[in-house]
Amino acid sequence: VADVGFGAGGAPSLVIWTTTPWTVPLNQGVCAGGGIGYALVRPGGGGAAGRLLLVAESRVGELEAALGCSVEVVETTRGDLLQGSWCRHPLSGRPVPILLAEHVSDAAGS
């Protein structure tokens, strides 16, 4: 993520949830919830050990369960502060914006 302003160093990977994974190749942005808290975490083990991940703060426990390890919460931020930031598309590497959207929920997913 570029321009988010995390002081922890290094660019985090965004953990996203989609119910339509076949659309990922054509996605033009990532949506975040303006009223949702987000946590920058560092997994302690598994394939993601040491990497910085950005996930909804309320979903940290589910991320730990999915990874099979504990994570350290390094920093937190509000979703509205992510607007205007950019990230790299996971398949093409092209820059895509982080947008705020009302349909985003932290009730399930990441």
Side-chain angles (χ1 to χ4, degrees), residues 43-85:
R51 293 181 59 188
L52 291 173
L53 304 175
L54 185 65
V55 64
E57 199 171 1
S58 65
R59 306 303 295 172
V60 168
E62 286 77 6
L63 178 65
E64 289 176 318
L67 294 175
C69 67
S70 62
V71 301
E72 169 195 4
V73 175
V74 177
E75 205 168 328
T76 61
T77 191
R78 298 186 328 253
D80 62 316
L81 297 177
L82 297 174
Q83 184 172 9
S85 299

Side-chain angles (χ1 to χ4, degrees), residues 4-110:
V4 173
F6 285 112
S13 295
L14 277 67
V15 180
I16 63 166
W17 175 262
T18 180
T19 57
T20 56
W22 55 88
T23 65
V24 170
L26 298 177
N27 283 355
Q28 299 296 311
V30 174
C31 293
I36 295 174
Y38 288 87
L40 184 66
V41 301
R42 188 182 321 271
R51 293 181 59 188
L52 291 173
L53 304 175
L54 185 65
V55 64
E57 199 171 1
S58 65
R59 306 303 295 172
V60 168
E62 286 77 6
L63 178 65
E64 289 176 318
L67 294 175
C69 67
S70 62
V71 301
E72 169 195 4
V73 175
V74 177
E75 205 168 328
T76 61
T77 191
R78 298 186 328 253
D80 62 316
L81 297 177
L82 297 174
Q83 184 172 9
S85 299
W86 291 80
C87 55
R88 269 185 254 116
H89 192 280
L91 302 177
S92 70
R94 71 180 181 278
V96 294
I98 298 177
L99 310 167
L100 296 185
E102 291 190 20
H103 73 272
V104 177
S105 167
D106 62 352
S110 57

